[in-house]
Amino acid sequence: MRGLFFDQALLPQGWARAVRIAVDGGRIVSAISDSVDGQGDEHHKIGLPGMSNLHSHAFQRGMAGLSEIRGTSADSFWTWRDVMYRFVGRMTPDDIEAVAAQAYVEMLEAGFTRVGEFHYIHHDISGAPYPNVAELAERIVAATDASGISLTLLPVFYAHAGFGGRDPDPGQRRFINSIDGYSRLMDASRGLMAGREGAVIGVAPHSLRAVTPDELEALLAVSVNGPVHIHIAEQVREVEDCLAWSGQRPLQWLFNHAPIDRRWCLIHATHTTPEEIHAIASSGAVAGLCPVTEANLGDGTFNAPDFIGQGGALGVGTDSNVLIGLTDELRQLEYSQRLALKARNVLSSHETTSTGRALFDGALRGGSQALGMTAVGLTEGAFADIFSLDADSVALTGRSGDAVLDSWIFGAARPMVDCVWARGHKVVKDGRHIGREQIALRFRRTIEGLLSA
């Protein structure tokens, strides 16, 4: 048993003063306000619950900045994807593990304490399965062990290059599986995750363009519990291609053919009609938004005000990991709405007038749901996923309560996360991950090797 004491902390019922959190076995035993710090307690000024990063392709952290060069034609998601295919086409298992560990260190330093790894690299460079079908899933797990971040593993089923079962492209050779091959991968991945503290496993049909209706039905038949994540309606061309194939838009087709409920996380869902917004909100599914990546790729902007107004649940993810930052995702989410609507404080409400608080609370709830967590926040029984902010930062001068979140998200020019505990283990101190130097050294050597190849 150990104690953490915070002058102020955000509990599920709101901000509280003099909060003592008792931790044992990686979980919160109690969180008591108006308390006194016990002998040996670690004392901090501001405490917040760790956030879930609901959508990550960790390997893409290694190519951050490499696609910001204009091509001979208009650039888009599809031209970016070609760059990604070339990059991943030469990564070894060691490379993938090294890059993932670096990404997870940066997530923890930003306040993310759990990651949903949408894991779709399964085979070797030639496209052949490894003797151990879960070789690369093991490398993801090893990277989480090195960093300390909690993992929701989402092995991806990917079989086709387009709607209607089109044959895969050569650049997709490392992703492709049959239903039988995927079943073997899932069996191995479940064994890999069994008995691990805080581990959750789900399934991830990549997208409607990569999975046929029969394959989607087969995947859902073998997934009786756990999260279900899918890319959906990210690109205008995707919507147009789906209409040409089925006569329906992607979300429209999905709701007509799959049992969408609270287990589901609909990644991006950028291009939606009012009817589709209502369907997502009514189903209880989470809209998995990745605002920085969506801006970087030129995807578009999700209709968050209408969705939230109908009680919809949303969370944020770092997706391509071109930039890893919790405040960056939350700020970009709000700013994208302001630009689209030419208004301010769009995602706050009459009940939660602080925009920072509304963003943080919404992402905390939705992210936790999407990654299979039942106990959320600084509450008894939840995992002890906690971070503190540097209250001595000039950006937080004189702030308390919701003003802390508003100033941190919208007014801080430098990272302000001070310490981070993941499942009760302290993994970040004074803003730096405890294994940062060693993990960064391996990352640098990996990237130098990839870029010189």
Side-chain angles (χ1 to χ4, degrees), residues 85-92 95 125 173-174 450-451 453:
Y85 286 169
R86 291 195 296 273
F87 187 80
V88 74
R90 54 183 183 262
M91 294 184 82
T92 68
D95 296 337
I125 289 171
R173 61 189 179 275
R174 302 194 71 177
L450 287 168
L451 297 185

Side-chain angles (χ1 to χ4, degrees), residues 201-391:
I201 189 165
V203 297
H206 178 273
S207 58
L208 294 184
R209 66 179 187 271
V211 179
T212 65
D214 287 347
E215 289 163 345
L216 179 60
E217 184 177 358
L219 292 177
L220 298 180
V222 300
S223 173
V224 295
N225 51 46
V228 182
H229 287 221
I230 186 170
H231 291 132
I232 192 82
E234 179 181 3
Q235 291 289 322
V236 171
R237 192 176 102 184
E238 177 189 343
V239 176
E240 294 170 346
D241 288 351
C242 191
L243 281 165
W245 164 64
S246 68
Q248 296 180 305
R249 298 166 57 86
L251 280 158
Q252 184 183 11
W253 188 96
L254 189 67
F255 274 93
N256 285 336
H257 293 86
I260 311 301
D261 58 19
R262 287 177 55 84
R263 293 172 56 210
W264 286 70
C265 183
L266 307 178
I267 304 298
H268 303 303
T270 307
H271 301 285
T272 53
T273 65
E275 293 77 15
E276 290 164 351
I277 286 288
H278 178 73
I280 302 171
S282 299
S283 72
V286 175
L289 308 183
C290 307
V292 170
T293 292
E294 289 153 5
N296 182 266
L297 297 179
D299 287 348
T301 302
F302 177 75
N303 185 355
D306 285 356
F307 183 67
I308 292 172
Q310 296 182 51
L314 58 79
V316 296
T318 57
D319 194 356
S320 70
N321 294 304
V322 65
L323 175 67
I324 296 176
L326 172 52
T327 54
D328 297 280
E329 299 295 344
L330 298 178
R331 184 172 56 250
Q332 177 64 32
L333 174 56
E334 169 69 19
Y335 280 179
S336 68
Q337 307 301 317
R338 295 186 186 191
L339 289 168
L341 299 174
K342 301 179 179 64
R344 298 192 73 251
N345 294 313
V346 175
L347 299 183
S348 57
S349 67
H350 294 299
E351 294 76 23
T352 307
T353 56
S354 158
T355 301
R357 175 71 181 278
L359 291 166
F360 190 90
D361 281 357
L364 180 68
R365 289 192 301 268
S368 297
Q369 176 184 324
L371 297 191
M373 295 291 98
T374 53
V376 181
L378 305 183
T379 186
E380 181 180 342
F383 284 112
D385 294 336
I386 307 165
F387 65 95
S388 63
L389 293 182
D390 178 9

